[in-house]
Amino acid sequence: MFIPHRLILHIPHSGTEFYDNQKPFARLFLEKARDLVDWYTDELFSPDEGDKRILPVVFPLCRTACDVERMTDDPLEEKNLGIIYDGGNPLGDRSGIVSTGDRNYAQVRRYDEYVGHHHRMENLILSNSGSLVIDCHSFSSGPTLLLPDSGAASKYDICIGFNEDRTRPDDKFIGTVCSHFEALGYKVGVNEPFSNSKTFSTPVIYKSIMIEVNKRLYMDEETLEKTEGFRILHRQILDLYEKIL
């Protein structure tokens, strides 16, 4: 079974910050994005104390301002859900809040942030050969723009995703991850309801896996407050790290 030397935690969607020109309307933008933000995953997946074997990389911007998981030619651009949502105006073009000039500003800035984030991840992978990249996410239990089918969202507690390429861990490793959560009583989907895992352009061979947790496990999705489940799930995730390291 694959045993990683280090874990690189890729946490792209917990951010709630916006570009300077968007900050006056950040409260409105965040309300629009409330079902899309992976609330608290920066805390949920990160170790309690400094552990040199585990390296979290948290992207600070809200995904509607810059989604570093998207590709530069992502097909979701057609649905205004690409690297930058709604052309830089999360409230929609008809709101008149963000001007054409502001949208152009966001378009330029997104590439600075996007490319910088990818370079940071690529450099970490290059300097930590034999690592496992864990793509850390959460998903809403109800329908969202990215998963309109509420039945698919509510069916699973945990989603494990991976790619069918050289980043794919071996079957025993994937089985260990799935079994860890199944033994705790969770309903685990394999590449369901979401699939694949984020990859980065680097000549170094590394493995990658995605872990998505249903928000109902650790927070109140109406109030956005953490529940007691947060502490429990956090400990269970840390236990998984120990098991695969």
Side-chain angles (χ1 to χ4, degrees), residues 10-14 36 38-39 41 44-45 63 67 69 134-139 157-159 194 196-198 209-215 218 233 237:
H10 182 235
I11 308 174
H13 293 155
S14 65
L36 298 175
D38 291 355
W39 300 97
T41 48
L44 186 66
F45 284 92
R63 68 187 297 180
D67 192 338
E69 286 265 292
I134 301 182
D135 206 15
C136 307
H137 293 272
S138 67
F139 60 96
D157 299 310
I158 307 286
C159 168
F194 298 95
N196 302 110
S197 183
K198 178 64 178 175
I209 195 167
M210 176 181 69
I211 300 178
E212 295 228 16
V213 299
N214 198 311
K215 292 176 184 175
Y218 69 91
L233 184 58
I237 290 172

PDB file of all heavy atoms in Angstrom, residues 10-14 36 38-39 41 44-45 63 67 69 134-139 157-159 194 196-198 209-215 218 233 237:
ATOM      1  N   HIS A  10      -4.787  20.470   0.360  1.00  0.00           N
ATOM      2  CA  HIS A  10      -5.220  21.534  -0.529  1.00  0.00           C
ATOM      3  C   HIS A  10      -6.632  21.953  -0.116  1.00  0.00           C
ATOM      4  O   HIS A  10      -7.577  21.183  -0.248  1.00  0.00           O
ATOM      5  CB  HIS A  10      -5.211  21.049  -1.983  1.00  0.00           C
ATOM      6  CG  HIS A  10      -5.591  22.101  -2.965  1.00  0.00           C
ATOM      7  ND1 HIS A  10      -6.611  21.954  -3.872  1.00  0.00           N
ATOM      8  CD2 HIS A  10      -5.080  23.351  -3.176  1.00  0.00           C
ATOM      9  CE1 HIS A  10      -6.707  23.048  -4.601  1.00  0.00           C
ATOM     10  NE2 HIS A  10      -5.803  23.910  -4.203  1.00  0.00           N
ATOM     11  N   ILE A  11      -6.763  23.176   0.426  1.00  0.00           N
ATOM     12  CA  ILE A  11      -8.037  23.653   0.975  1.00  0.00           C
ATOM     13  C   ILE A  11      -8.425  24.919   0.205  1.00  0.00           C
ATOM     14  O   ILE A  11      -8.104  26.036   0.605  1.00  0.00           O
ATOM     15  CB  ILE A  11      -7.913  23.919   2.488  1.00  0.00           C
ATOM     16  CG1 ILE A  11      -7.334  22.682   3.191  1.00  0.00           C
ATOM     17  CG2 ILE A  11      -9.278  24.292   3.087  1.00  0.00           C
ATOM     18  CD1 ILE A  11      -7.020  22.870   4.661  1.00  0.00           C
ATOM     19  N   PRO A  12      -9.136  24.767  -0.921  1.00  0.00           N
ATOM     20  CA  PRO A  12      -9.348  25.902  -1.830  1.00  0.00           C
ATOM     21  C   PRO A  12     -10.608  26.718  -1.620  1.00  0.00           C
ATOM     22  O   PRO A  12     -10.714  27.826  -2.141  1.00  0.00           O
ATOM     23  CB  PRO A  12      -9.408  25.211  -3.201  1.00  0.00           C
ATOM     24  CG  PRO A  12     -10.048  23.889  -2.890  1.00  0.00           C
ATOM     25  CD  PRO A  12      -9.557  23.491  -1.516  1.00  0.00           C
ATOM     26  N   HIS A  13     -11.590  26.186  -0.873  1.00  0.00           N
ATOM     27  CA  HIS A  13     -12.912  26.826  -0.884  1.00  0.00           C
ATOM     28  C   HIS A  13     -13.431  27.262   0.480  1.00  0.00           C
ATOM     29  O   HIS A  13     -14.624  27.512   0.627  1.00  0.00           O
ATOM     30  CB  HIS A  13     -13.929  25.882  -1.537  1.00  0.00           C
ATOM     31  CG  HIS A  13     -13.698  25.653  -2.989  1.00  0.00           C
ATOM     32  ND1 HIS A  13     -14.131  24.523  -3.652  1.00  0.00           N
ATOM     33  CD2 HIS A  13     -13.070  26.428  -3.925  1.00  0.00           C
ATOM     34  CE1 HIS A  13     -13.781  24.599  -4.931  1.00  0.00           C
ATOM     35  NE2 HIS A  13     -13.135  25.730  -5.119  1.00  0.00           N
ATOM     36  N   SER A  14     -12.555  27.376   1.468  1.00  0.00           N
ATOM     37  CA  SER A  14     -13.003  27.839   2.788  1.00  0.00           C
ATOM     38  C   SER A  14     -12.944  29.352   2.906  1.00  0.00           C
ATOM     39  O   SER A  14     -13.482  29.932   3.850  1.00  0.00           O
ATOM     40  CB  SER A  14     -12.144  27.212   3.889  1.00  0.00           C
ATOM     41  OG  SER A  14     -10.802  27.672   3.799  1.00  0.00           O
ATOM     42  N   LEU A  36     -22.040  27.715  -1.374  1.00  0.00           N
ATOM     43  CA  LEU A  36     -20.892  27.272  -2.160  1.00  0.00           C
ATOM     44  C   LEU A  36     -19.598  27.262  -1.351  1.00  0.00           C
ATOM     45  O   LEU A  36     -18.654  26.560  -1.697  1.00  0.00           O
ATOM     46  CB  LEU A  36     -20.713  28.180  -3.382  1.00  0.00           C
ATOM     47  CG  LEU A  36     -21.881  28.204  -4.384  1.00  0.00           C
ATOM     48  CD1 LEU A  36     -21.616  29.241  -5.458  1.00  0.00           C
ATOM     49  CD2 LEU A  36     -22.095  26.835  -4.995  1.00  0.00           C
ATOM     50  N   ASP A  38     -17.002  26.269   1.410  1.00  0.00           N
ATOM     51  CA  ASP A  38     -16.720  25.092   2.247  1.00  0.00           C
ATOM     52  C   ASP A  38     -16.385  25.572   3.663  1.00  0.00           C
ATOM     53  O   ASP A  38     -15.228  25.585   4.080  1.00  0.00           O
ATOM     54  CB  ASP A  38     -15.550  24.293   1.671  1.00  0.00           C
ATOM     55  CG  ASP A  38     -15.891  23.601   0.362  1.00  0.00           C
ATOM     56  OD1 ASP A  38     -17.057  23.656  -0.056  1.00  0.00           O
ATOM     57  OD2 ASP A  38     -14.978  23.009  -0.243  1.00  0.00           O
ATOM     58  N   TRP A  39     -17.398  25.957   4.395  1.00  0.00           N
ATOM     59  CA  TRP A  39     -17.221  26.597   5.696  1.00  0.00           C
ATOM     60  C   TRP A  39     -16.366  25.742   6.636  1.00  0.00           C
ATOM     61  O   TRP A  39     -16.600  24.547   6.816  1.00  0.00           O
ATOM     62  CB  TRP A  39     -18.579  26.857   6.344  1.00  0.00           C
ATOM     63  CG  TRP A  39     -19.470  27.753   5.549  1.00  0.00           C
ATOM     64  CD1 TRP A  39     -20.466  27.387   4.691  1.00  0.00           C
ATOM     65  CD2 TRP A  39     -19.432  29.186   5.518  1.00  0.00           C
ATOM     66  NE1 TRP A  39     -21.048  28.493   4.116  1.00  0.00           N
ATOM     67  CE2 TRP A  39     -20.443  29.616   4.613  1.00  0.00           C
ATOM     68  CE3 TRP A  39     -18.646  30.143   6.167  1.00  0.00           C
ATOM     69  CZ2 TRP A  39     -20.688  30.953   4.343  1.00  0.00           C
ATOM     70  CZ3 TRP A  39     -18.890  31.485   5.900  1.00  0.00           C
ATOM     71  CH2 TRP A  39     -19.896  31.882   5.005  1.00  0.00           C
ATOM     72  N   THR A  41     -13.554  24.368   6.569  1.00  0.00           N
ATOM     73  CA  THR A  41     -12.703  23.237   6.193  1.00  0.00           C
ATOM     74  C   THR A  41     -11.223  23.523   6.455  1.00  0.00           C
ATOM     75  O   THR A  41     -10.434  22.596   6.601  1.00  0.00           O
ATOM     76  CB  THR A  41     -12.899  22.860   4.709  1.00  0.00           C
ATOM     77  OG1 THR A  41     -12.829  24.042   3.888  1.00  0.00           O
ATOM     78  CG2 THR A  41     -14.239  22.183   4.497  1.00  0.00           C
ATOM     79  N   LEU A  44     -11.206  22.279   9.946  1.00  0.00           N
ATOM     80  CA  LEU A  44     -11.640  20.888  10.061  1.00  0.00           C
ATOM     81  C   LEU A  44     -10.556  19.903   9.629  1.00  0.00           C
ATOM     82  O   LEU A  44     -10.347  18.868  10.269  1.00  0.00           O
ATOM     83  CB  LEU A  44     -12.896  20.678   9.209  1.00  0.00           C
ATOM     84  CG  LEU A  44     -13.601  19.326   9.306  1.00  0.00           C
ATOM     85  CD1 LEU A  44     -14.188  19.127  10.696  1.00  0.00           C
ATOM     86  CD2 LEU A  44     -14.700  19.238   8.250  1.00  0.00           C
ATOM     87  N   PHE A  45      -9.843  20.236   8.544  1.00  0.00           N
ATOM     88  CA  PHE A  45      -8.856  19.307   7.992  1.00  0.00           C
ATOM     89  C   PHE A  45      -7.441  19.546   8.505  1.00  0.00           C
ATOM     90  O   PHE A  45      -6.585  18.677   8.365  1.00  0.00           O
ATOM     91  CB  PHE A  45      -8.855  19.391   6.465  1.00  0.00           C
ATOM     92  CG  PHE A  45     -10.023  18.699   5.813  1.00  0.00           C
ATOM     93  CD1 PHE A  45     -11.189  19.385   5.516  1.00  0.00           C
ATOM     94  CD2 PHE A  45      -9.958  17.345   5.488  1.00  0.00           C
ATOM     95  CE1 PHE A  45     -12.266  18.753   4.904  1.00  0.00           C
ATOM     96  CE2 PHE A  45     -11.021  16.701   4.879  1.00  0.00           C
ATOM     97  CZ  PHE A  45     -12.186  17.399   4.589  1.00  0.00           C
ATOM     98  N   ARG A  63     -14.503  31.536  -3.258  1.00  0.00           N
ATOM     99  CA  ARG A  63     -14.429  30.865  -4.552  1.00  0.00           C
ATOM    100  C   ARG A  63     -15.177  31.620  -5.653  1.00  0.00           C
ATOM    101  O   ARG A  63     -14.865  31.459  -6.841  1.00  0.00           O
ATOM    102  CB  ARG A  63     -14.974  29.440  -4.441  1.00  0.00           C
ATOM    103  CG  ARG A  63     -16.469  29.362  -4.191  1.00  0.00           C
ATOM    104  CD  ARG A  63     -16.929  27.938  -3.918  1.00  0.00           C
ATOM    105  NE  ARG A  63     -16.709  27.061  -5.049  1.00  0.00           N
ATOM    106  CZ  ARG A  63     -17.025  25.767  -5.044  1.00  0.00           C
ATOM    107  NH1 ARG A  63     -17.569  25.225  -3.964  1.00  0.00           N
ATOM    108  NH2 ARG A  63     -16.805  25.019  -6.105  1.00  0.00           N
ATOM    109  N   ASP A  67     -11.846  30.945  -8.217  1.00  0.00           N
ATOM    110  CA  ASP A  67     -11.926  29.517  -7.906  1.00  0.00           C
ATOM    111  C   ASP A  67     -10.704  28.819  -8.475  1.00  0.00           C
ATOM    112  O   ASP A  67     -10.620  28.545  -9.675  1.00  0.00           O
ATOM    113  CB  ASP A  67     -13.211  28.916  -8.486  1.00  0.00           C
ATOM    114  CG  ASP A  67     -13.487  27.512  -7.949  1.00  0.00           C
ATOM    115  OD1 ASP A  67     -12.521  26.860  -7.497  1.00  0.00           O
ATOM    116  OD2 ASP A  67     -14.646  27.082  -7.978  1.00  0.00           O
ATOM    117  N   GLU A  69      -9.766  25.885  -8.238  1.00  0.00           N
ATOM    118  CA  GLU A  69      -9.979  24.501  -8.658  1.00  0.00           C
ATOM    119  C   GLU A  69     -10.338  24.408 -10.137  1.00  0.00           C
ATOM    120  O   GLU A  69     -10.198  23.354 -10.748  1.00  0.00           O
ATOM    121  CB  GLU A  69     -11.114  23.878  -7.838  1.00  0.00           C
ATOM    122  CG  GLU A  69     -10.747  23.550  -6.402  1.00  0.00           C
ATOM    123  CD  GLU A  69     -10.315  22.109  -6.239  1.00  0.00           C
ATOM    124  OE1 GLU A  69     -11.145  21.211  -6.381  1.00  0.00           O
ATOM    125  OE2 GLU A  69      -9.116  21.891  -5.945  1.00  0.00           O
ATOM    126  N   ILE A 134      -4.168  15.881  -0.517  1.00  0.00           N
ATOM    127  CA  ILE A 134      -5.566  15.652  -0.145  1.00  0.00           C
ATOM    128  C   ILE A 134      -6.347  16.907  -0.489  1.00  0.00           C
ATOM    129  O   ILE A 134      -6.077  17.985   0.038  1.00  0.00           O
ATOM    130  CB  ILE A 134      -5.724  15.314   1.345  1.00  0.00           C
ATOM    131  CG1 ILE A 134      -4.921  14.068   1.709  1.00  0.00           C
ATOM    132  CG2 ILE A 134      -7.207  15.096   1.671  1.00  0.00           C
ATOM    133  CD1 ILE A 134      -5.064  13.648   3.165  1.00  0.00           C
ATOM    134  N   ASP A 135      -7.285  16.765  -1.407  1.00  0.00           N
ATOM    135  CA  ASP A 135      -8.147  17.858  -1.823  1.00  0.00           C
ATOM    136  C   ASP A 135      -9.313  17.923  -0.837  1.00  0.00           C
ATOM    137  O   ASP A 135     -10.167  17.024  -0.833  1.00  0.00           O
ATOM    138  CB  ASP A 135      -8.632  17.571  -3.247  1.00  0.00           C
ATOM    139  CG  ASP A 135      -8.979  18.811  -4.032  1.00  0.00           C
ATOM    140  OD1 ASP A 135      -8.593  19.914  -3.611  1.00  0.00           O
ATOM    141  OD2 ASP A 135      -9.634  18.678  -5.083  1.00  0.00           O
ATOM    142  N   CYS A 136      -9.330  18.940   0.012  1.00  0.00           N
ATOM    143  CA  CYS A 136     -10.229  18.983   1.167  1.00  0.00           C
ATOM    144  C   CYS A 136     -11.458  19.855   0.888  1.00  0.00           C
ATOM    145  O   CYS A 136     -11.322  21.062   0.637  1.00  0.00           O
ATOM    146  CB  CYS A 136      -9.482  19.530   2.382  1.00  0.00           C
ATOM    147  SG  CYS A 136      -7.943  18.666   2.760  1.00  0.00           S
ATOM    148  N   HIS A 137     -12.635  19.248   0.972  1.00  0.00           N
ATOM    149  CA  HIS A 137     -13.863  19.959   0.638  1.00  0.00           C
ATOM    150  C   HIS A 137     -15.013  19.572   1.564  1.00  0.00           C
ATOM    151  O   HIS A 137     -14.941  18.579   2.297  1.00  0.00           O
ATOM    152  CB  HIS A 137     -14.298  19.619  -0.798  1.00  0.00           C
ATOM    153  CG  HIS A 137     -13.387  20.115  -1.853  1.00  0.00           C
ATOM    154  ND1 HIS A 137     -13.494  21.367  -2.411  1.00  0.00           N
ATOM    155  CD2 HIS A 137     -12.331  19.522  -2.466  1.00  0.00           C
ATOM    156  CE1 HIS A 137     -12.548  21.526  -3.317  1.00  0.00           C
ATOM    157  NE2 HIS A 137     -11.830  20.422  -3.380  1.00  0.00           N
ATOM    158  N   SER A 138     -16.092  20.352   1.465  1.00  0.00           N
ATOM    159  CA  SER A 138     -17.367  19.963   2.055  1.00  0.00           C
ATOM    160  C   SER A 138     -18.455  20.260   1.041  1.00  0.00           C
ATOM    161  O   SER A 138     -18.239  21.007   0.089  1.00  0.00           O
ATOM    162  CB  SER A 138     -17.631  20.705   3.374  1.00  0.00           C
ATOM    163  OG  SER A 138     -17.816  22.092   3.142  1.00  0.00           O
ATOM    164  N   PHE A 139     -19.623  19.651   1.229  1.00  0.00           N
ATOM    165  CA  PHE A 139     -20.733  19.910   0.312  1.00  0.00           C
ATOM    166  C   PHE A 139     -22.030  20.044   1.098  1.00  0.00           C
ATOM    167  O   PHE A 139     -22.181  19.462   2.183  1.00  0.00           O
ATOM    168  CB  PHE A 139     -20.849  18.814  -0.758  1.00  0.00           C
ATOM    169  CG  PHE A 139     -21.096  17.415  -0.235  1.00  0.00           C
ATOM    170  CD1 PHE A 139     -22.382  16.895  -0.172  1.00  0.00           C
ATOM    171  CD2 PHE A 139     -20.038  16.610   0.157  1.00  0.00           C
ATOM    172  CE1 PHE A 139     -22.611  15.602   0.285  1.00  0.00           C
ATOM    173  CE2 PHE A 139     -20.248  15.316   0.628  1.00  0.00           C
ATOM    174  CZ  PHE A 139     -21.549  14.815   0.687  1.00  0.00           C
ATOM    175  N   ASP A 157     -22.561  10.816   3.296  1.00  0.00           N
ATOM    176  CA  ASP A 157     -21.925  11.599   4.354  1.00  0.00           C
ATOM    177  C   ASP A 157     -20.532  12.048   3.932  1.00  0.00           C
ATOM    178  O   ASP A 157     -20.104  13.159   4.228  1.00  0.00           O
ATOM    179  CB  ASP A 157     -21.811  10.775   5.638  1.00  0.00           C
ATOM    180  CG  ASP A 157     -23.149  10.334   6.177  1.00  0.00           C
ATOM    181  OD1 ASP A 157     -24.045  11.193   6.305  1.00  0.00           O
ATOM    182  OD2 ASP A 157     -23.319   9.131   6.474  1.00  0.00           O
ATOM    183  N   ILE A 158     -19.824  11.134   3.283  1.00  0.00           N
ATOM    184  CA  ILE A 158     -18.441  11.363   2.875  1.00  0.00           C
ATOM    185  C   ILE A 158     -18.303  10.981   1.407  1.00  0.00           C
ATOM    186  O   ILE A 158     -18.856   9.972   0.964  1.00  0.00           O
ATOM    187  CB  ILE A 158     -17.445  10.507   3.694  1.00  0.00           C
ATOM    188  CG1 ILE A 158     -17.653  10.700   5.199  1.00  0.00           C
ATOM    189  CG2 ILE A 158     -16.003  10.803   3.288  1.00  0.00           C
ATOM    190  CD1 ILE A 158     -17.157  12.000   5.763  1.00  0.00           C
ATOM    191  N   CYS A 159     -17.547  11.782   0.667  1.00  0.00           N
ATOM    192  CA  CYS A 159     -17.249  11.468  -0.722  1.00  0.00           C
ATOM    193  C   CYS A 159     -15.734  11.353  -0.886  1.00  0.00           C
ATOM    194  O   CYS A 159     -14.994  12.256  -0.477  1.00  0.00           O
ATOM    195  CB  CYS A 159     -17.807  12.546  -1.643  1.00  0.00           C
ATOM    196  SG  CYS A 159     -17.229  12.452  -3.357  1.00  0.00           S
ATOM    197  N   PHE A 194     -19.480  13.687  -6.048  1.00  0.00           N
ATOM    198  CA  PHE A 194     -18.461  14.437  -6.785  1.00  0.00           C
ATOM    199  C   PHE A 194     -17.325  13.483  -7.138  1.00  0.00           C
ATOM    200  O   PHE A 194     -17.141  12.454  -6.480  1.00  0.00           O
ATOM    201  CB  PHE A 194     -17.927  15.601  -5.944  1.00  0.00           C
ATOM    202  CG  PHE A 194     -18.980  16.616  -5.593  1.00  0.00           C
ATOM    203  CD1 PHE A 194     -19.661  16.548  -4.388  1.00  0.00           C
ATOM    204  CD2 PHE A 194     -19.292  17.639  -6.466  1.00  0.00           C
ATOM    205  CE1 PHE A 194     -20.634  17.471  -4.063  1.00  0.00           C
ATOM    206  CE2 PHE A 194     -20.269  18.576  -6.156  1.00  0.00           C
ATOM    207  CZ  PHE A 194     -20.944  18.486  -4.950  1.00  0.00           C
ATOM    208  N   ASN A 196     -13.173  12.807  -8.962  1.00  0.00           N
ATOM    209  CA  ASN A 196     -11.814  13.266  -9.256  1.00  0.00           C
ATOM    210  C   ASN A 196     -11.182  14.023  -8.086  1.00  0.00           C
ATOM    211  O   ASN A 196     -11.770  14.181  -7.029  1.00  0.00           O
ATOM    212  CB  ASN A 196     -11.789  14.112 -10.534  1.00  0.00           C
ATOM    213  CG  ASN A 196     -12.324  13.349 -11.734  1.00  0.00           C
ATOM    214  OD1 ASN A 196     -13.403  13.652 -12.236  1.00  0.00           O
ATOM    215  ND2 ASN A 196     -11.604  12.350 -12.169  1.00  0.00           N
ATOM    216  N   SER A 197      -9.967  14.469  -8.317  1.00  0.00           N
ATOM    217  CA  SER A 197      -9.212  15.211  -7.314  1.00  0.00           C
ATOM    218  C   SER A 197      -8.328  16.212  -8.041  1.00  0.00           C
ATOM    219  O   SER A 197      -7.921  15.973  -9.186  1.00  0.00           O
ATOM    220  CB  SER A 197      -8.365  14.251  -6.471  1.00  0.00           C
ATOM    221  OG  SER A 197      -7.674  14.940  -5.454  1.00  0.00           O
ATOM    222  N   LYS A 198      -8.053  17.326  -7.400  1.00  0.00           N
ATOM    223  CA  LYS A 198      -7.274  18.389  -8.035  1.00  0.00           C
ATOM    224  C   LYS A 198      -5.860  17.898  -8.349  1.00  0.00           C
ATOM    225  O   LYS A 198      -5.205  17.261  -7.523  1.00  0.00           O
ATOM    226  CB  LYS A 198      -7.215  19.603  -7.113  1.00  0.00           C
ATOM    227  CG  LYS A 198      -6.393  20.763  -7.654  1.00  0.00           C
ATOM    228  CD  LYS A 198      -6.983  21.347  -8.917  1.00  0.00           C
ATOM    229  CE  LYS A 198      -6.181  22.533  -9.422  1.00  0.00           C
ATOM    230  NZ  LYS A 198      -6.668  23.035 -10.711  1.00  0.00           N
ATOM    231  N   ILE A 209      -5.914  12.535  -3.668  1.00  0.00           N
ATOM    232  CA  ILE A 209      -7.236  12.015  -3.338  1.00  0.00           C
ATOM    233  C   ILE A 209      -8.093  13.164  -2.810  1.00  0.00           C
ATOM    234  O   ILE A 209      -7.570  14.099  -2.184  1.00  0.00           O
ATOM    235  CB  ILE A 209      -7.136  10.874  -2.291  1.00  0.00           C
ATOM    236  CG1 ILE A 209      -8.454  10.076  -2.224  1.00  0.00           C
ATOM    237  CG2 ILE A 209      -6.732  11.403  -0.925  1.00  0.00           C
ATOM    238  CD1 ILE A 209      -8.318   8.779  -1.453  1.00  0.00           C
ATOM    239  N   MET A 210      -9.360  13.106  -3.101  1.00  0.00           N
ATOM    240  CA  MET A 210     -10.284  14.134  -2.603  1.00  0.00           C
ATOM    241  C   MET A 210     -11.115  13.564  -1.472  1.00  0.00           C
ATOM    242  O   MET A 210     -11.578  12.420  -1.539  1.00  0.00           O
ATOM    243  CB  MET A 210     -11.221  14.601  -3.733  1.00  0.00           C
ATOM    244  CG  MET A 210     -12.288  15.610  -3.282  1.00  0.00           C
ATOM    245  SD  MET A 210     -13.387  16.099  -4.635  1.00  0.00           S
ATOM    246  CE  MET A 210     -14.301  14.575  -4.925  1.00  0.00           C
ATOM    247  N   ILE A 211     -11.286  14.362  -0.430  1.00  0.00           N
ATOM    248  CA  ILE A 211     -12.206  14.009   0.657  1.00  0.00           C
ATOM    249  C   ILE A 211     -13.212  15.147   0.787  1.00  0.00           C
ATOM    250  O   ILE A 211     -12.841  16.291   1.062  1.00  0.00           O
ATOM    251  CB  ILE A 211     -11.470  13.795   1.993  1.00  0.00           C
ATOM    252  CG1 ILE A 211     -10.437  12.669   1.871  1.00  0.00           C
ATOM    253  CG2 ILE A 211     -12.480  13.476   3.100  1.00  0.00           C
ATOM    254  CD1 ILE A 211      -9.633  12.437   3.147  1.00  0.00           C
ATOM    255  N   GLU A 212     -14.475  14.841   0.557  1.00  0.00           N
ATOM    256  CA  GLU A 212     -15.564  15.809   0.729  1.00  0.00           C
ATOM    257  C   GLU A 212     -16.455  15.317   1.862  1.00  0.00           C
ATOM    258  O   GLU A 212     -16.823  14.139   1.898  1.00  0.00           O
ATOM    259  CB  GLU A 212     -16.402  15.925  -0.552  1.00  0.00           C
ATOM    260  CG  GLU A 212     -15.648  16.497  -1.728  1.00  0.00           C
ATOM    261  CD  GLU A 212     -16.427  17.604  -2.427  1.00  0.00           C
ATOM    262  OE1 GLU A 212     -17.395  18.128  -1.835  1.00  0.00           O
ATOM    263  OE2 GLU A 212     -16.047  17.939  -3.558  1.00  0.00           O
ATOM    264  N   VAL A 213     -16.798  16.204   2.785  1.00  0.00           N
ATOM    265  CA  VAL A 213     -17.665  15.827   3.901  1.00  0.00           C
ATOM    266  C   VAL A 213     -18.960  16.622   3.825  1.00  0.00           C
ATOM    267  O   VAL A 213     -18.959  17.804   3.457  1.00  0.00           O
ATOM    268  CB  VAL A 213     -16.960  16.050   5.259  1.00  0.00           C
ATOM    269  CG1 VAL A 213     -15.701  15.202   5.348  1.00  0.00           C
ATOM    270  CG2 VAL A 213     -16.611  17.514   5.465  1.00  0.00           C
ATOM    271  N   ASN A 214     -20.049  15.972   4.134  1.00  0.00           N
ATOM    272  CA  ASN A 214     -21.345  16.640   4.126  1.00  0.00           C
ATOM    273  C   ASN A 214     -21.393  17.660   5.268  1.00  0.00           C
ATOM    274  O   ASN A 214     -21.061  17.344   6.420  1.00  0.00           O
ATOM    275  CB  ASN A 214     -22.457  15.604   4.290  1.00  0.00           C
ATOM    276  CG  ASN A 214     -23.813  16.145   3.871  1.00  0.00           C
ATOM    277  OD1 ASN A 214     -24.217  17.225   4.279  1.00  0.00           O
ATOM    278  ND2 ASN A 214     -24.533  15.375   3.070  1.00  0.00           N
ATOM    279  N   LYS A 215     -21.788  18.883   4.962  1.00  0.00           N
ATOM    280  CA  LYS A 215     -21.793  19.951   5.961  1.00  0.00           C
ATOM    281  C   LYS A 215     -22.680  19.635   7.161  1.00  0.00           C
ATOM    282  O   LYS A 215     -22.428  20.113   8.270  1.00  0.00           O
ATOM    283  CB  LYS A 215     -22.234  21.265   5.323  1.00  0.00           C
ATOM    284  CG  LYS A 215     -21.242  21.818   4.322  1.00  0.00           C
ATOM    285  CD  LYS A 215     -21.778  23.074   3.641  1.00  0.00           C
ATOM    286  CE  LYS A 215     -20.811  23.568   2.577  1.00  0.00           C
ATOM    287  NZ  LYS A 215     -21.342  24.705   1.804  1.00  0.00           N
ATOM    288  N   TYR A 218     -21.076  18.595  10.574  1.00  0.00           N
ATOM    289  CA  TYR A 218     -20.279  19.417  11.488  1.00  0.00           C
ATOM    290  C   TYR A 218     -20.797  20.840  11.691  1.00  0.00           C
ATOM    291  O   TYR A 218     -20.211  21.593  12.467  1.00  0.00           O
ATOM    292  CB  TYR A 218     -18.825  19.464  11.006  1.00  0.00           C
ATOM    293  CG  TYR A 218     -18.600  20.236   9.721  1.00  0.00           C
ATOM    294  CD1 TYR A 218     -18.296  21.597   9.744  1.00  0.00           C
ATOM    295  CD2 TYR A 218     -18.665  19.610   8.482  1.00  0.00           C
ATOM    296  CE1 TYR A 218     -18.072  22.311   8.580  1.00  0.00           C
ATOM    297  CE2 TYR A 218     -18.449  20.314   7.305  1.00  0.00           C
ATOM    298  CZ  TYR A 218     -18.156  21.660   7.363  1.00  0.00           C
ATOM    299  OH  TYR A 218     -17.934  22.364   6.199  1.00  0.00           O
ATOM    300  N   LEU A 233     -15.754  15.075  14.077  1.00  0.00           N
ATOM    301  CA  LEU A 233     -15.257  14.800  12.728  1.00  0.00           C
ATOM    302  C   LEU A 233     -13.805  15.233  12.574  1.00  0.00           C
ATOM    303  O   LEU A 233     -13.012  14.553  11.900  1.00  0.00           O
ATOM    304  CB  LEU A 233     -16.143  15.520  11.701  1.00  0.00           C
ATOM    305  CG  LEU A 233     -15.817  15.272  10.219  1.00  0.00           C
ATOM    306  CD1 LEU A 233     -15.881  13.783   9.882  1.00  0.00           C
ATOM    307  CD2 LEU A 233     -16.778  16.058   9.327  1.00  0.00           C
ATOM    308  N   ILE A 237     -10.818  12.775  11.302  1.00  0.00           N
ATOM    309  CA  ILE A 237      -9.953  13.075  10.158  1.00  0.00           C
ATOM    310  C   ILE A 237      -8.483  12.993  10.563  1.00  0.00           C
ATOM    311  O   ILE A 237      -7.645  12.436   9.834  1.00  0.00           O
ATOM    312  CB  ILE A 237     -10.293  14.463   9.579  1.00  0.00           C
ATOM    313  CG1 ILE A 237     -11.663  14.421   8.891  1.00  0.00           C
ATOM    314  CG2 ILE A 237      -9.217  14.919   8.587  1.00  0.00           C
ATOM    315  CD1 ILE A 237     -12.193  15.779   8.456  1.00  0.00           C
TER     316      ILE A 237
END
